[in-house]
Amino acid sequence: MLDSNTTHFSNPSTFILLGIPGLEAAHVWISIPFCTMYIPAILGNISILFIVKTEPSLHEPMYYFLCMLAVTDLVLYMSTVPKMLNIFWFNSREIDFSACLTQMYFVLVFSMMQSGILVAMALDRYVAICHPLRHSTILTNPLVAKIGLAVVLRCGIVVLPFPILARQWPYCRTNVIPQPYCAHIAVVNLACADTRVSSYYGLFVRVCVMGLDGIFIAVSYTQILRAIFSLPTKDTQLKTLGTCGSHVFVILAFYIPGLFMSLMHRFAQNVPLHFHVLIGNMYLLLPPVLNPIIYGVRTKQIRDRLLQLFTHKGA
């Protein structure tokens, strides 16, 4: 099958997305968990946006950052999952060259934005716990808006070289991408040119941007834990620690699958390709499903508002 799509050309007009390579016959069954994640991810994140907008008690920096995370999750899902389901259900595998690079850009930008927003949330928790009396004067609405804008601009600018470089390369091997979406590394592997610049720049982004985000979050929580354990009573410590619980779970949902992916790529060389692809897709799509569930379950105001909405509908 690959031979029919393997031609010698410099700029393909389309790419062919294989879906899950080696498991094409099971695509309809594979679509079930993808669809099962898609619906709650869309409904959950829209619900978060609606509840925060309509509930005045949630008009605080932490929930504004949560709304930014919800928008990021929605865009990430809307830019990838519909095409995946088209592949699984209708065998619609072709994607325009420019559309592929656009999808790649969106996936990279909004994945990185998740990391930036988690840093902003860590800053909010640090100020709320270590400087509680100054929280409202430090994290004002204009500053929250500037932080959000800075996260968007940082990601948009830092990621821009990836599609620009990818557009310049000749593609003379094949136009078949063994993925259900245009993953950056999969597109890079198709180029018949020296792609070391992209590899080095990708390493720079991972270390200097994502790595620094992780360090900032770790430093913030070190200071937060020091402040919590200096509180006089156990009850106060537990209550204060509980205000960080949702954010900690979201951080773990973002970083642990990424760590698992990195270890698998390094040490699991004999693992079948379809397993790598499935795990990679879970890493991309799982956090947007978990984020609204974590905040919906652990945040009393959001949980109460959801119950109120469903109760009124039932009445």
Side-chain angles (χ1 to χ4, degrees):
M1 178 170 177
L2 290 179
D3 291 341
S4 64
N5 292 310
T6 303
T7 55
H8 292 275
F9 39 68
S10 58
N11 288 304
S13 59
T14 60
F15 282 120
I16 307 297
L17 297 169
L18 278 188
I20 311 299
L23 296 178
E24 288 88 351
H27 271 176
V28 173
W29 297 106
I30 292 170
S31 72
I32 294 172
F34 281 79
C35 193
T36 303
M37 289 190 295
Y38 182 66
I39 294 169
I42 298 298
L43 293 179
N45 284 295
I46 289 175
S47 298
I48 292 287
L49 293 172
F50 175 76
I51 290 169
V52 173
K53 184 179 185 300
T54 56
E55 182 59 51
S57 66
L58 298 178
H59 292 177
E60 298 176 2
M62 186 63 178
Y63 299 106
Y64 292 147
F65 291 135
L66 178 58
C67 286
M68 295 178 198
L69 188 63
V71 170
T72 300
D73 291 342
L74 284 170
V75 175
L76 196 59
Y77 254 67
M78 295 300 293
S79 60
T80 54
V81 180
K83 181 60 182 176
M84 292 179 182
L85 294 178
N86 263 320
I87 295 168
F88 296 150
W89 290 340
F90 308 114
N91 204 31
S92 176
R93 300 183 178 188
E94 286 195 359
I95 184 169
D96 182 76
F97 179 72
S98 297
C100 183
L101 296 186
T102 302
Q103 186 189 57
M104 181 180 76
Y105 178 74
F106 269 67
V107 169
L108 291 172
V109 166
F110 285 93
S111 296
M112 189 181 294
M113 278 180 63
Q114 289 178 324
S115 178
I117 294 167
L118 291 178
V119 172
M121 288 177 155
L123 174 65
D124 172 80
R125 290 299 85 202
Y126 167 76
V127 175
I129 292 171
C130 298
H131 305 282
L133 299 179
R134 299 171 57 201
H135 181 256
S136 59
T137 56
I138 294 174
L139 283 176
T140 60
N141 286 346
L143 181 60
V144 170
K146 288 175 184 175
I147 291 172
L149 181 60
V151 169
V152 173
L153 290 177
R154 180 192 75 157
C155 299
I157 294 169
V158 167
V159 169
L160 195 57
F162 290 116
I164 292 175
L165 287 169
R167 184 172 283 278
Q168 306 305 315
W169 294 326
Y171 296 88
C172 57
R173 295 194 183 101
T174 178
N175 64 339
V176 177
I177 299 175
Q179 289 273 359
Y181 71 98
C182 290
H184 172 250
I185 191 64
V187 175
V188 169
N189 288 339
L190 300 185
C192 53
D194 187 352
T195 60
R196 283 180 296 179
V197 172
S198 180
S199 299
Y200 293 149
Y201 184 68
L203 181 63
F204 164 78
V205 170
R206 185 171 290 275
V207 173
C208 294
V209 178
M210 306 289 279
L212 285 177
D213 284 355
I215 291 171
F216 187 90
I217 291 171
V219 170
S220 297
Y221 269 93
T222 301
Q223 297 300 315
I224 287 169
L225 289 173
R226 285 179 60 186
I228 288 174
F229 289 124
S230 67
L231 293 172
T233 65
K234 215 55 161 177
D235 287 343
T236 311
Q237 290 176 2
L238 290 173
K239 186 176 179 181
T240 307
L241 191 61
T243 64
C244 302
S246 299
H247 184 230
V248 170
F249 281 120
V250 168
I251 290 170
L252 294 176
F254 180 78
Y255 281 102
I256 287 179
L259 178 62
F260 180 73
M261 276 287 296
S262 298
L263 292 172
M264 191 177 73
H265 279 298
R266 181 172 293 274
F267 299 111
Q269 300 297 327
N270 296 324
V271 172
L273 177 60
H274 63 260
F275 187 78
H276 279 277
V277 173
L278 284 169
I279 294 298
N281 280 273
M282 290 302 103
Y283 167 59
L284 180 72
L285 300 177
L286 201 55
V289 182
L290 295 178
N291 294 342
I293 294 173
I294 290 167
Y295 275 95
V297 170
R298 291 191 57 84
T299 307
K300 186 178 184 301
Q301 298 98 313
I302 294 177
R303 187 172 65 246
D304 290 348
R305 184 70 170 137
L306 273 173
L307 290 172
Q308 186 181 0
L309 285 173
F310 285 118
T311 303
H312 281 188
K313 283 184 179 180

